[in-house]
Amino acid sequence: MNKLLHALRGMDIPPTTVMEVCGTHTNAIARFGLRQLLPPGMRLISGPGCPVCVTDGTDLAAALFLAHMPGVAVYSFGDMLRVPAAGDSLLRARELGADVRIATSPMDALEAALSETDKEIVWLGVGFETTAPMTAALLLRAREAGVGNLSVLCAHKTMPAALRSLLRDNQRVDALLCPGHVAAITGAEDFRFVPEELRMPAVVAGFEPEEIALALLQIARMRQRGQVELANCYPAAVSAEGNPAAKALLTAVFEPVTARWRGLGEIAGSGLGLRREFAGFDARRRFDLPEFPPGEDAAGCRCADLLRGEAEPRQCPLFGRGCTPDRPAGPCMVSAEGACAAVYRYGGN
Ligand code: SF4
């Protein structure tokens, strides 16, 4: 590790802003103080890599609407409960009597559907290519079991279209630290469009400090040599083609749809919608949900700017004052993968 950092620190490179788009990287970079160890000229910023943070207010509003319906139980991963949504949250709804439950796995929702047949069970499906296969497995199992009281409020997203939309013609970002977890599913080749279309180096990285340092060193070398390439610095977990079983699950259940991202807006092809054969499990159809407005962020909140890489946590006037992990005013302070929560906890920028 020390050798890597020494080599990295000693690099003489042109000004280079590296964006990471993975919440686990966001956390690890802050936790290990890696920003303080970069060579002169290199800067690390966070992008839209935290699944909780990028979930749009319209999806949260739909989840809240369902949570308040009698006879409905909404299952979600725990972090989603605390995300503020126009002065409300799923946690607050639960405190007021709504049936909102924390799941450790989507299969918790299936178990509930099988044992509580008088209830409508809704799984709130959020996250990227990493969590979407779990939702796919849930639906395949539910269909096989003939479950009729389970549905999914689907807000899953995929990275490539969002990165194209965010980074095409951008002047802020010079290189991409690719998300190791997503790449483990999709394959490193899924990021080849970054050098080929967006004309910037892209390096797939693991999550240990030395793995991140190695990926940054690779980026620094490319920048020094003027190379624009894709490199996989996480070969232990990421192959060129990805995980065929997980990809088959995704293909069996989902199809690309337009999705709304917090901070990025609507992006064609960046979401996962249920295929027609799973339409009966679509909570939006089952409950005939209207389009919900996104709701207002807290006054001064810069989460949207953060997710576009246009601001850093301490530039938000609410950071550490009106917004802390105990009382988050925006989603980036909720999850350990959020940029604000990571900086609040470990320091740095
Ligand atoms: S400090 Fe809070 S309100 Fe401000 S950008 Fe971060 S999460 Fe959003």
Side-chain angles (χ1 to χ4, degrees):
M1 174 72 177
N2 283 344
K3 270 190 187 167
L4 275 174
L5 287 174
H6 188 70
L8 182 62
R9 286 280 305 169
M11 297 288 289
D12 182 16
I13 59 170
T16 301
T17 297
V18 181
M19 175 177 272
E20 47 80 7
V21 285
C22 172
T24 313
H25 279 150
T26 304
N27 184 283
I29 287 164
R31 180 151 52 109
F32 299 117
L34 292 177
R35 278 196 182 83
Q36 288 80 281
L37 305 173
L38 298 175
M42 183 178 269
R43 183 170 159 253
L44 260 177
I45 59 170
S46 296
C50 158
V52 166
C53 309
V54 298
T55 300
D56 192 63
T58 52
D59 294 317
L60 279 166
L64 278 162
F65 181 86
L66 289 171
H68 286 296
M69 283 179 77
V72 173
V74 174
Y75 272 82
S76 167
F77 289 129
D79 279 345
M80 285 306 300
L81 268 66
R82 299 176 59 237
V83 176
D88 207 347
S89 69
L90 286 169
L91 185 62
R92 185 169 153 70
R94 187 165 81 163
E95 287 164 358
L96 294 175
D99 194 349
V100 179
R101 306 178 189 179
I102 295 174
T104 53
S105 150
M107 293 304 167
D108 293 351
L110 178 60
E111 278 180 31
L114 288 168
S115 61
E116 299 173 60
T117 50
D118 58 330
K119 278 236 163 196
E120 281 288 334
I121 307 295
V122 178
W123 168 246
L124 175 54
V126 301
F128 303 115
E129 292 93 332
T130 42
T131 51
M134 293 192 274
T135 298
L138 166 70
L139 288 181
L140 288 167
R141 291 268 294 274
R143 186 173 69 170
E144 194 181 304
V147 172
N149 60 330
L150 175 81
S151 57
V152 172
L153 183 61
C154 195
H156 284 297
K157 295 174 175 59
T158 53
M159 274 286 167
L163 292 178
R164 280 188 176 95
S165 167
L166 179 65
L167 299 178
R168 188 182 294 127
D169 303 325
N170 95 94
Q171 305 295 320
R172 302 183 306 279
V173 179
D174 304 294
L176 192 74
L177 197 66
C178 300
H181 290 142
V182 168
I185 302 295
T186 64
E189 285 299 310
D190 216 41
F191 291 92
R192 185 158 295 282
F193 73 93
V194 178
E196 291 190 350
E197 292 177 34
L198 305 178
R199 303 303 306 153
M200 62 176 75
V203 178
V204 179
F207 299 96
E208 294 301 322
E210 55 270 27
E211 291 172 328
I212 299 172
L214 179 64
L216 293 173
L217 184 60
Q218 187 80 353
I219 287 173
R221 283 180 178 146
M222 285 195 220
R223 290 286 290 167
Q224 197 178 47
R225 296 169 187 159
Q227 294 170 326
V228 178
E229 292 175 2
L230 170 69
N232 179 6
C233 285
Y234 194 28
V238 176
S239 66
E241 308 305 333
N243 180 326
K247 286 166 84 170
L249 283 172
L250 293 177
T251 306
V253 173
F254 298 114
E255 60 189 5
V257 293
T258 297
R260 273 191 72 91
W261 296 56
R262 185 184 295 271
L264 277 62
E266 272 192 7
I267 304 171
S270 71
L272 292 173
L274 300 184
R275 285 190 178 282
R276 200 166 36 168
E277 51 269 44
F278 291 92
F281 291 102
D282 185 342
R284 293 177 204 280
R285 280 177 178 234
R286 185 184 298 232
F287 298 98
D288 197 19
L289 297 184
E291 286 291 321
F292 291 93
E296 294 282 314
D297 287 338
C301 168
R302 298 202 63 188
C303 283
D305 296 332
L306 250 84
L307 295 167
R308 290 191 298 267
E310 292 174 2
E312 292 176 357
R314 292 182 191 279
Q315 291 174 325
C316 176
L318 302 181
F319 183 90
R321 292 183 275 274
C323 183
T324 63
D326 287 338
R327 295 177 68 86
C332 298
M333 193 60 95
V334 172
S335 158
E337 299 193 342
C340 294
V343 169
Y344 185 90
R345 180 160 185 196
Y346 299 114
N349 295 321

